[in-house]
Amino acid sequence: MADRHSDIQYKTPEQIVKMRSAGLLVAATLAKLREAVAPGVSTADLDVIAEDTIRSGGGIPSFLGYHGYPASICTSVNNEVVHAIPNPKAVLSDGDVISIDCGAIVDGWHGDSAITVPVGEVRRDVLRMAQVAEDAMWAGIAAAARGVRSGRGRLTDVSSAIQSSVRKAGRYGIVEGYGGHGIGTEMHQDPFVLNYGRPGKGPLLVAGLCIAIEPMLTLGRPRTVELDDGWTVVTADGSPAAHAEHTVALCEDGVWVLTAPDGGRERLGELAAQVARTESTTQA
Ligand code: MF3
Ligand code: CO
């Protein structure tokens, strides 16, 4: 096939079914973590829950040991954007917002997903930003579905859809320098998926392409700084941030959102985009 890139690992339908197992385990873990978030809970407590849930579900926490990363999830609170390390001293309090990023390996295949969760009563503008990040992720996923069905879609159609969705919603910072990525037998593969840019560029959106789509927004300026721990990324202006991520498989007839329990059916239905038929044939 023309326009298949040699640096991309295209997956067979059978391999995508394996990635679904990893995706569902990540989804179950995040659901548990969402329930556990409350004032008084530390981010280290959340990490224990994550590792237990992943291991008892037959998976391996993919973040643990990744380039020396010391935990199973990233727990980024308020002005922390991504990659904050769980810590017993980081105790959640009312009004905080936490983004939890989680990855697992099942049978050699990866799933990667992130959610942003309010702690108690949270400022309306912060809640709205979290919703805008999630909506932008779904706009990107819907663009991938349309692109694969048309046969003419390209990767930056996803980037552009994310950006337009955010711009329509208001004046949020779209974090630069971080973005989505190919995913499969490794957590991070080609291609890199920017969260902004002009459409129509990059590899074709074809069946077998599996990507993590993950917009990161700030309430202020988009500029970020990495802390001395070598991991934690914070906003340069101290404004709060939000992050949403799903692992998505492109199929002949649409997309399969591997880290969404319903495969993306509900949200993509609202956006008039197509969930892959595989989704309905492999449901338990
Ligand atoms: N899940 C993150 C991503 O989406 C990566 C986490 S970095 C790690 O790219 F070191 F914590 F694993
Ligand atoms: Co990711």
Side-chain angles (χ1 to χ4, degrees):
M1 194 194 298
D3 265 292
R4 280 174 84 95
H5 285 227
S6 58
D7 45 0
I8 294 176
Q9 177 189 48
Y10 295 93
K11 283 80 177 173
T12 65
E14 293 72 28
Q15 292 171 331
I16 290 172
V17 168
K18 289 188 166 198
M19 286 184 67
R20 174 62 162 166
S21 300
L24 283 175
L25 182 55
V26 170
T29 306
L30 284 174
K32 231 180 193 179
L33 294 169
R34 185 192 288 280
E35 286 299 306
V37 165
V41 171
S42 80
T43 57
D45 296 334
L46 297 176
D47 188 51
V48 169
I49 295 170
E51 181 165 3
D52 286 351
T53 309
I54 293 169
R55 292 200 193 279
S56 61
I60 298 167
S62 52
F63 295 7
L64 192 61
Y66 180 82
H67 292 279
Y69 188 77
S72 296
I73 50 175
C74 303
T75 47
S76 308
V77 179
N78 297 335
N79 63 311
E80 295 169 343
V81 184
V82 285
H83 303 167
I85 302 168
N87 184 331
K89 282 183 265 179
V91 177
L92 299 174
S93 39
D94 191 61
D96 285 344
V97 65
I98 178 172
S99 93
I100 307 174
D101 193 337
C102 179
I105 310 167
V106 175
D107 204 11
W109 295 89
H110 286 249
D112 184 8
S113 180
I115 53 175
T116 297
V117 185
V119 185
E121 290 278 311
V122 172
R123 269 164 53 184
R124 285 173 66 106
D125 55 352
V126 175
L127 282 180
R128 181 156 190 280
M129 167 180 58
Q131 187 63 53
V132 170
E134 198 189 314
D135 291 348
M137 171 189 68
W138 283 105
I141 295 170
R146 275 184 225 104
V148 74
R149 280 175 73 84
S150 76
R152 289 186 304 275
R154 289 193 180 268
L155 187 69
T156 67
D157 298 358
V158 174
S159 314
S160 164
I162 291 168
Q163 181 177 27
S164 320
S165 174
V166 174
R167 292 290 174 249
K168 260 181 242 162
R171 288 174 58 87
Y172 298 93
I174 301 178
V175 173
E176 295 172 17
Y178 301 89
H181 48 91
I183 177 166
T185 52
E186 294 134 306
M187 174 164 56
H188 291 142
Q189 298 183 327
D190 280 329
F192 184 64
V193 188
L194 276 173
N195 288 316
Y196 51 88
R198 291 157 47 94
K201 299 186 196 303
L204 273 179
L205 297 171
V206 293
L209 183 67
C210 295
I211 49 176
I213 297 180
E214 49 174 323
M216 287 147 261
L217 302 185
T218 69
L219 207 53
R221 311 282 308 169
R223 257 277 280 274
T224 59
V225 181
E226 190 185 285
L227 298 188
D228 287 339
D229 64 13
W231 287 102
T232 313
V233 178
V234 299
T235 55
D237 64 7
S239 68
H243 179 205
E245 176 177 20
H246 268 315
T247 296
V248 179
L250 276 60
C251 305
E252 296 293 346
D253 55 343
V255 291
W256 193 3
V257 186
L258 301 175
T259 45
D262 74 346
R265 188 166 298 281
E266 186 185 331
R267 289 302 303 270
L268 290 174
E270 291 164 11
L271 296 164
Q274 204 68 31
V275 166
R277 227 177 9 254
T278 333
E279 214 291 306
S280 27
T281 53
T282 54
Q283 247 170 16

